[in-house]
């Protein structure tokens, strides 16, 4: 859709954040909950 990729991922456990200079990432939780901790607090 207009050069935007949608990806579906099923995951459990910790996920180490990574960075992309040319994209924006969105996290949508369908079931359960997600805790996000920022490095700068």
């Amino acid at each position: 859709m207009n050069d935007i990729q949608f990806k579906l991922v099923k995951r459990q456990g910790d996920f180490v954040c990574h960075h992309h200079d040319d994209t924006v990432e969105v996290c949508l939780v369908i079931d359960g909950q997600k805790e996000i901790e920022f490095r700068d607090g």
Side-chain angles (χ1 to χ4, degrees), residues 6-18:
F6 290 89
K7 298 177 182 181
L8 177 64
V9 178
K10 182 178 181 180
R11 108 163 254 110
Q12 289 180 318
D14 293 340
F15 177 75
V16 177
C17 185
H18 54 277

Side-chain angles (χ1 to χ4, degrees):
M1 183 172 134
N2 299 332
D3 290 334
I4 298 173
Q5 296 181 11
F6 290 89
K7 298 177 182 181
L8 177 64
V9 178
K10 182 178 181 180
R11 108 163 254 110
Q12 289 180 318
D14 293 340
F15 177 75
V16 177
C17 185
H18 54 277
H19 178 76
H20 299 279
D21 290 331
D22 58 344
T23 62
V24 174
E25 294 191 27
V26 175
C27 178
L28 174 65
V29 178
I30 304 290
D31 185 26
Q33 52 188 310
K34 177 163 185 67
E35 180 178 316
I36 300 174
E37 296 179 10
F38 294 96
R39 287 185 209 113
D40 63 356

